Amino acid sequence: MGIKAFPVCLFILIFSQTYAQQPNIGAISGLVKDSATKKGLSLATVSVFKLTDSSIVSFKLCDDKGGFEIRNIPLNQTLKIVTTFEGYEVDRREVRLTASANYSIGTILLKPTSKSLDEVIVKSERPPIIVKKDTIEFNATAFKTLPNALVEDLFKKLPGMQVDRDGNITYNGRPVSRIYVDGKSFFNDNYKAATQILPSAIVANVQVYDDKEQLDATQKNTDYNKIINLKLKQNVKKSTFGKVSTSGGTDNRYELAGAVNFLRDTVQLTLIGYKNNLNRGIFNSSEMRAIGAFNRNWTTMTNNDNGTYTINNISFGGGTTAETESAGGGINFNHAPTKYTSFYAQYFVSHEDGYTNENINNLYINNDTINKYNIFNQLASIKTIQNLNFGFKTKSKSGNRSLTLNVGNQWSVLNSSTFNATINSNNQVGTLLNSNGKLDQSVNPKNYYHSLFFSSKLFEKNDKYRAISFQQYYNVVQNPTNFLTEIDNLSLIPTPSNTMIRQLRFFNPQKLFIINRMVLSGWKKKNTSFVLASNFDINNAKNTIVTYLQHIGNKNYDSVDANLTSDVNVSNSILKITPQFDLSIKKYMLTLSGTFFNAHQNINISNKSFNNYKDTYIYSLLYFSFYKQGGLRLSFDQQINLPLAKDLTPIVDNTNPVFVFSGNLKLQAEKTSTFKITFRKFIVKKQLNLNYELLYGNTQNPIIQSVKILSNGKQEIKSMNAGNRHSLVMRLGISKSFQKINRYNHSVNLNLSYQNMITPTVFNETEFSQKVNVFKTTVGNSFNWQDKFNLYYSYSYTANINRFTKKFTADVLSNVQNLDVEVTARLFKKVSFNTTLLANKIVYENLPALPVNLFINPSISVYFLKEDKGEIKFIVRDLLNRNNNFSRNVIGNNITETNTNVLGRYFMLTFSYNFKTFKNEQNNKVNW
């Protein structure tokens, strides 16, 4: 079975088994109305229970007219129908469906009452969902989970709640921004600490409502995100929880990892340590963010394809090399003494020792001429990184003022040595160049940043207020670098000649990046409002470049090359003033703004071979947005991007003498205009999510890298402005969820996209355009049956068509297929089977086929101890030993093929222990 046919067959099998005709079920329909006004009660809850044991069968929220239809009702059973709505008495009645599969219960009239719903309903009849004004409340006990299930597992069973594989949560299509526990912040804003740590069994109710504090004054024309509040059965005041694991496998593979949390009311302390040679992060990124209580106030995160990741620039195992041995540890402290104040501190250190063997085939095609570079790199590197981060968040009791500060420091030491061998050939004349030698690098980066946000209401009267907010981001980066080049070049054209390059180059780049933003808001009159925003940004880059040469017969590098030595200072100051006007009528909002953009760019160079350069940019930029709440948005935006220091620096960079880079002092700024149409609609009744996006972008004076191949095979690469770049993107997404309470949860999705890009390219001083058309289709499926069987798969097919103007080279046609499958079966209470499958196939017409990357990882887990705290797992990584790291990329007339070494197949046995102890205010252990 081919990779393309597999997901289709799997989808048909799942769908047909799940939704096959069931003859022994029926449906109940009716209307719910106010007994006095006879108006339909929208969002009233109709629940169906078994009369024998009061277990929930199904439920439904009424539509706008008070109507409901509940399907999948069993026949020949006595059932109790309970109708509830906040502010009304409860209606109870019994029914029994027989041969007639569809039953109309008629009109249910509810009588108003001054009592709350909790006062008029018994515990066993509490409906799965209750609507209280602007709050949706789920009864957690109505949704069955495993004994060791977490809050995240409970969320996956709630109607309208979606949890992706990284733990991100949406409700009815809107992202969840925060989660509270009993109305208070839990680990501050890190909701994954609550969803991936707390057991679901201690949760009584889950409340969902709008996050009305999320929006900046200039970003009002959007839908609210959501806040979730977990109401616990018992108050949790003290706890100790975490995870430790140890692993050993074939080929001397090993891993030791542990993270422990101590929670004492509002204080939380985390200790983390790890060591492995598996070239991956400990646990996984979602687990680590939860266990470590990150994302408290300030979080940046990167994920890599090989399973490594960083949080706040902190590495948790693995590395950039193909095979890495890594170790590290640290401490994370969080404290929220009041509901208005919280602060945190982190210190982590990591060490990586790795190597990579890399083979690169680099082709440049010019009509019938093909220049080919065969490059082999053997890299060994050692890196140590230290991180210290701290910050706090506070707001006044009235909520009128708030202040947030985050500070971070990072110190690193990186030493690497690369053996490089390069052969350049031309299909017309044969081999041009043979180069080999070593490239050694030593870097000591230092990185400091702080971010500050302050907001305050200046005046408040009759719900009309004026407010001011100030935001600053400050970042200083230093990267002192020593780069040693010892390369021998054998040039064969026009006659054989050998050149020995012995060069030691010092770089000391220093970057200063400051963003200052102030927003004044609150000028309101009827349906209109006015906001004034201003930015003053500073972006300076200073680099001291000193190049030493080694003369023949002299081992020391003591001769300065004046042509390759200079101080280069690029300073940018940018002023932006943006008045914004908003007009809102019912569900519609129109936003108009104009930005006065004024930037000064100065370039000072100590090398007298180059002149200093300065430029001033003055623009009037436009922005408009037309928005319909819960649906359509049209917007137009303009942005200016100044040339970067690396693109401006004219001092030649020949650290690899085969590929020589240089900047361009005469570069102009890029101006990008973007028109965008988006439509997003979530149909609650059908659990159907629709989204569409159309985007057109035009960039004037785009900055590109021109390539010129000399007759001796060397490359000269230079920054330059080119003709306009165009981009058209269309995306369509459809997803739907199916659910039968305590039976199955099933979601399917389909995403289609088309992208058309016209990108200017310059090769050998000839400018042409690359016209790229990309068609992509992605289908996905997630299925859970009573927590005994889980299936996830995602399949994508991408077709690329690359064409070139001026008949520069032949068209390049390609397609890429990706398949991601995970199956988990827990058919026995204490035994779980899991298999992941990753497949990747890349096909380029008129080019040799690349090997199919097939990566299968089966495992079996045995759980023991109370609440399945202990786990022994046997893992086979890369069962078929077919994982490879081949890739092919086409940019302009350049085709790059890369292959690096991989770990290969190994077997591993892992022991893990999850510990969780929760205590209440009386210091008594909480049992559930």
Side-chain angles (χ1 to χ4, degrees):
M1 180 183 297
I3 186 174
K4 190 185 301 186
F6 176 80
V8 177
C9 296
L10 197 59
F11 179 85
I12 294 173
L13 176 63
I14 295 293
F15 196 89
S16 61
Q17 291 297 316
T18 305
Y19 307 108
Q21 184 178 359
Q22 303 177 52
N24 294 320
I25 59 174
I28 298 176
S29 60
L31 287 170
V32 180
K33 294 184 177 182
D34 184 300
S35 62
T37 65
K38 300 300 187 294
K39 291 184 178 180
L41 295 179
S42 174
L43 299 180
T45 307
V46 182
S47 306
V48 181
F49 299 89
K50 290 183 179 180
L51 190 63
T52 54
D53 57 7
S54 296
S55 62
I56 185 75
V57 175
S58 190
F59 66 94
K60 198 74 172 181
L61 292 177
C62 294
D63 59 26
D64 294 341
K65 297 180 180 180
F68 68 90
E69 183 182 21
I70 307 176
R71 300 178 181 179
N72 299 320
I73 301 299
L75 303 181
N76 302 314
Q77 292 189 31
T78 303
L79 306 171
K80 179 166 59 174
I81 298 178
V82 179
T83 305
T84 55
F85 195 57
E86 182 71 20
Y88 290 84
E89 294 183 355
V90 178
D91 181 89
R92 303 176 180 87
R93 57 186 68 190
E94 296 179 9
V95 299
R96 183 182 180 90
L97 273 65
T98 55
S100 178
N102 297 313
Y103 175 77
S104 175
I105 202 170
T107 300
I108 300 173
L109 298 177
L110 297 185
K111 298 179 180 179
T113 179
S114 59
K115 297 180 180 179
S116 69
L117 187 60
D118 292 331
E119 295 178 288
V120 298
I121 195 169
V122 297
K123 183 177 180 180
S124 62
E125 294 178 347
R126 188 172 185 85
I129 297 180
I130 297 174
V131 179
K132 297 181 178 180
K133 296 182 179 179
D134 58 350
T135 300
I136 306 294
E137 183 173 285
F138 295 93
N139 175 18
T141 58
F143 302 89
K144 294 181 180 179
T145 57
L146 291 172
N148 62 343
L150 303 176
V151 168
E152 182 179 85
D153 301 309
L154 171 64
F155 283 0
K156 293 177 181 179
K157 296 178 178 293
L158 302 182
M161 198 85 72
Q162 296 85 33
V163 183
D164 67 18
R165 301 189 82 191
D166 293 325
N168 301 306
I169 304 169
T170 58
Y171 178 72
N172 285 350
R174 299 304 307 165
V176 171
S177 54
R178 286 178 283 174
I179 288 184
Y180 295 143
V181 176
D182 283 333
K184 295 185 296 184
S185 176
F186 186 76
F187 292 0
N188 206 351
D189 290 335
N190 176 26
Y191 66 66
K192 293 183 183 180
T195 61
Q196 298 174 346
I197 292 282
L198 292 175
S200 63
I202 66 172
V203 178
N205 300 309
V206 178
Q207 297 176 328
V208 185
Y209 50 90
D210 289 338
D211 184 359
K212 295 185 178 181
E213 298 180 1
Q214 69 169 21
L215 301 179
D216 180 86
T218 61
Q219 299 173 317
K220 294 180 180 179
N221 54 341
T222 185
D223 289 325
Y224 290 118
N225 289 347
K226 298 295 182 180
I227 291 177
I228 293 178
N229 179 43
L230 303 176
K231 298 181 69 174
L232 304 185
K233 296 177 181 176
Q234 302 184 54
N235 288 328
V236 176
K237 292 295 181 180
K238 297 181 180 180
S239 62
T240 302
F241 51 87
K243 181 178 182 179
V244 293
S245 68
T246 178
S247 304
T250 57
D251 298 332
N252 297 317
R253 301 296 169 194
Y254 71 92
E255 180 176 55
L256 300 171
V260 57
N261 284 269
F262 303 95
L263 178 65
R264 298 296 181 266
D265 196 6
T266 61
V267 177
Q268 187 249 342
L269 180 68
T270 304
L271 301 175
I272 297 172
Y274 69 92
K275 184 177 176 64
N276 73 51
N277 62 354
L278 305 179
N279 199 34
R280 68 176 183 86
I282 60 171
F283 307 133
N284 59 60
S285 58
S286 296
E287 259 184 321
M288 198 67 255
R289 280 203 290 187
I291 295 174
F294 291 97
N295 208 17
R296 183 174 178 82
N297 284 284
W298 175 265
T299 296
T300 59
M301 184 168 181
T302 59
N303 282 284
N304 303 313
D305 293 338
N306 62 357
T308 65
Y309 58 89
T310 63
I311 303 174
N312 289 352
N313 295 318
I314 303 167
S315 173
F316 291 96
T320 56
T321 50
E323 297 194 34
T324 304
E325 185 172 36
S326 56
I331 185 171
N332 189 28
F333 175 78
N334 298 297
H335 181 36
T338 70
K339 64 185 296 185
Y340 307 106
T341 304
S342 63
F343 58 89
Y344 73 100
Q346 305 167 344
Y347 174 77
F348 285 88
V349 60
S350 63
H351 179 80
E352 300 171 6
D353 188 349
Y355 74 93
T356 299
N357 292 328
E358 181 181 52
N359 289 284
I360 302 174
N361 288 323
N362 209 338
L363 287 79
Y364 289 86
I365 304 173
N366 183 357
N367 292 319
D368 295 331
T369 303
I370 300 176
N371 281 278
K372 182 177 181 180
Y373 293 84
N374 296 106
I375 304 170
F376 172 73
N377 291 318
Q378 192 172 53
L379 168 68
S381 69
I382 299 176
K383 179 167 63 176
T384 302
I385 303 175
Q386 298 183 76
N387 296 269
L388 176 63
N389 306 311
F390 60 90
F392 69 87
K393 178 186 292 186
T394 183
K395 66 179 180 179
S396 62
K397 292 183 179 180
S398 64
N400 291 340
R401 291 177 297 279
S402 67
L403 176 66
T404 301
L405 174 68
N406 301 284
V407 180
N409 282 277
Q410 184 180 86
W411 307 269
S412 305
V413 177
L414 169 64
N415 294 290
S416 66
S417 180
T418 303
F419 172 77
N420 172 268
T422 302
I423 298 175
N424 173 234
S425 61
N426 183 298
N427 66 330
Q428 303 290 338
V429 297
T431 302
L432 303 176
L433 176 71
N434 194 327
S435 172
N436 66 80
K438 69 174 183 178
L439 306 169
D440 292 349
Q441 187 177 18
S442 177
V443 191
N444 294 278
K446 297 178 179 64
N447 187 350
Y448 167 83
Y449 79 86
H450 73 247
S451 67
L452 175 70
F453 181 80
F454 171 77
S455 66
S456 176
K457 294 181 181 179
L458 303 178
F459 174 77
E460 187 171 2
K461 183 179 180 181
N462 298 328
D463 295 328
K464 294 183 179 180
Y465 65 87
R466 292 184 175 90
I468 184 173
S469 67
F470 174 76
Q471 182 176 4
Q472 182 185 80
Y473 178 77
Y474 182 95
N475 184 216
V476 177
V477 180
Q478 294 180 320
N479 286 296
T481 304
N482 298 340
F483 206 112
L484 177 63
T485 302
E486 294 183 350
I487 293 286
D488 293 339
N489 283 339
L490 176 60
S491 298
L492 302 176
I493 301 295
T495 59
S497 61
N498 190 49
T499 304
M500 292 187 298
I501 300 175
R502 303 292 184 266
Q503 174 180 287
L504 177 62
R505 201 167 199 200
F506 292 98
F507 301 87
N508 189 19
Q510 303 177 49
K511 296 181 181 180
L512 172 64
F513 186 49
I514 306 175
I515 297 177
N516 297 292
R517 178 174 173 82
M518 183 178 293
V519 179
L520 294 172
S521 61
W523 287 274
K524 296 183 178 180
K525 187 175 182 180
K526 293 184 179 180
N527 298 327
T528 62
S529 63
F530 178 77
V531 176
L532 181 64
S534 63
N535 276 62
F536 181 68
D537 304 337
I538 296 174
N539 187 352
N540 295 340
K542 182 179 180 180
N543 195 359
T544 299
I545 305 170
V546 182
T547 304
Y548 295 94
L549 302 180
Q550 180 193 73
H551 290 294
I552 298 175
N554 188 351
K555 294 183 179 180
N556 298 324
Y557 290 86
D558 52 12
S559 177
V560 176
D561 186 337
N563 293 325
L564 301 178
T565 299
S566 182
D567 289 335
V568 181
N569 188 3
V570 179
S571 60
N572 301 301
S573 59
I574 304 170
L575 174 66
K576 292 185 285 187
I577 299 176
T578 305
Q580 177 175 308
F581 173 80
D582 295 312
L583 172 65
S584 59
I585 302 175
K586 296 183 178 180
K587 294 184 177 182
Y588 301 92
M589 178 171 283
L590 176 67
T591 297
L592 296 173
S593 69
T595 297
F596 170 74
F597 181 96
N598 185 294
H600 296 273
Q601 186 169 71
N602 297 311
I603 308 168
N604 297 308
I605 305 171
S606 64
N607 191 316
K608 299 307 179 182
S609 299
F610 303 94
N611 296 322
N612 294 335
Y613 185 81
K614 63 174 57 178
D615 207 343
T616 299
Y617 300 96
I618 299 176
Y619 289 95
S620 296
L621 306 177
L622 300 177
Y623 172 83
F624 86 83
S625 172
F626 173 78
Y627 175 69
K628 179 184 177 183
Q629 186 177 359
L632 181 68
R633 180 199 300 272
L634 290 81
S635 65
F636 175 79
D637 188 27
Q638 292 182 314
Q639 297 289 335
I640 301 295
N641 298 310
L642 298 184
L644 300 177
K646 69 178 182 64
D647 293 316
L648 291 165
T649 303
I651 307 302
V652 172
D653 182 356
N654 66 339
T655 49
N656 186 333
V658 179
F659 305 95
V660 179
F661 294 82
S662 63
N664 184 350
L665 286 172
K666 296 183 179 181
L667 289 178
Q668 294 296 300
E670 297 180 341
K671 181 180 180 180
T672 301
S673 301
T674 304
F675 176 73
K676 190 175 182 180
I677 300 175
T678 60
F679 175 79
R680 292 181 174 88
K681 184 71 173 180
F682 189 87
I683 304 174
V684 177
K685 184 177 181 180
K686 297 183 178 181
Q687 289 294 291
L688 181 66
N689 192 14
L690 305 172
N691 61 82
Y692 173 77
E693 181 179 76
L694 171 66
L695 183 149
Y696 173 75
N698 175 51
T699 301
Q700 300 175 20
N701 298 320
I703 298 172
I704 67 168
Q705 304 294 317
S706 67
V707 176
K708 182 179 180 181
I709 298 180
L710 306 180
S711 60
N712 60 6
K714 297 180 181 179
Q715 280 192 24
E716 290 183 351
I717 304 168
K718 187 174 183 178
S719 301
M720 65 174 292
N721 290 111
N724 289 2
R725 180 170 57 225
H726 304 271
S727 177
L728 174 67
V729 179
M730 291 185 290
R731 299 186 182 97
L732 174 65
I734 304 173
S735 63
K736 181 171 175 58
S737 298
F738 306 87
Q739 182 185 55
K740 186 174 182 180
I741 188 168
N742 297 327
R743 289 294 302 275
Y744 60 77
N745 294 275
H746 186 193
S747 63
V748 294
N749 64 79
L750 171 67
N751 293 282
L752 305 172
S753 67
Y754 167 72
Q755 185 172 13
N756 175 271
M757 295 178 293
I758 301 177
T759 304
T761 303
V762 176
F763 179 76
N764 283 349
E765 300 180 339
T766 300
E767 182 171 341
F768 62 96
S769 293
Q770 178 188 15
K771 298 182 178 181
V772 181
N773 291 275
V774 181
F775 304 85
K776 185 174 181 180
T777 302
T778 303
V779 293
N781 178 84
S782 178
F783 178 75
N784 175 282
W785 177 66
Q786 296 184 342
D787 290 324
K788 295 178 180 179
F789 178 79
N790 286 275
L791 169 69
Y792 166 86
Y793 80 77
S794 175
Y795 169 79
S796 67
Y797 179 88
T798 306
N800 295 272
I801 303 173
N802 292 263
R803 292 190 169 95
F804 306 91
T805 59
K806 299 183 181 180
K807 298 182 180 179
F808 202 85
T809 185
D811 295 347
V812 178
L813 308 179
S814 66
N815 65 77
V816 180
Q817 298 179 65
N818 290 285
L819 178 64
D820 182 0
V821 179
E822 182 174 5
V823 179
T824 302
R826 192 164 180 169
L827 304 180
F828 305 99
K829 187 175 182 180
K830 296 292 184 179
V831 181
S832 175
F833 302 91
N834 178 273
T835 297
T836 61
L837 182 152
L838 299 173
N840 173 262
K841 184 178 180 180
I842 305 174
V843 177
Y844 281 81
E845 291 190 12
N846 304 320
L847 290 175
L850 291 177
V852 175
N853 188 7
L854 184 60
F855 196 31
I856 301 177
N857 305 298
S859 66
I860 180 172
S861 297
V862 178
Y863 302 94
F864 57 98
L865 303 179
K866 187 178 179 181
E867 299 167 0
D868 295 345
K869 293 181 178 178
E871 177 186 2
I872 294 177
K873 178 185 285 188
F874 177 70
I875 307 167
V876 182
R877 184 186 184 277
D878 193 8
L879 176 66
L880 303 180
N881 205 25
R882 288 187 57 185
N883 182 36
N884 59 67
N885 205 4
F886 283 96
S887 65
R888 180 180 282 154
N889 192 27
V890 177
I891 300 178
N893 65 323
N894 172 230
I895 300 174
T896 303
E897 298 177 349
T898 305
N899 173 231
T900 63
N901 54 312
V902 296
L903 293 183
R905 177 173 54 202
Y906 63 82
F907 303 85
M908 178 162 284
L909 190 65
T910 298
F911 168 74
S912 301
Y913 179 70
N914 290 275
F915 49 94
K916 300 182 182 74
T917 302
F918 294 88
K919 295 183 179 181
N920 58 21
E921 291 178 315
Q922 291 74 37
N923 205 36
N924 297 321
K925 187 175 181 180
V926 176
N927 296 309
W928 48 79

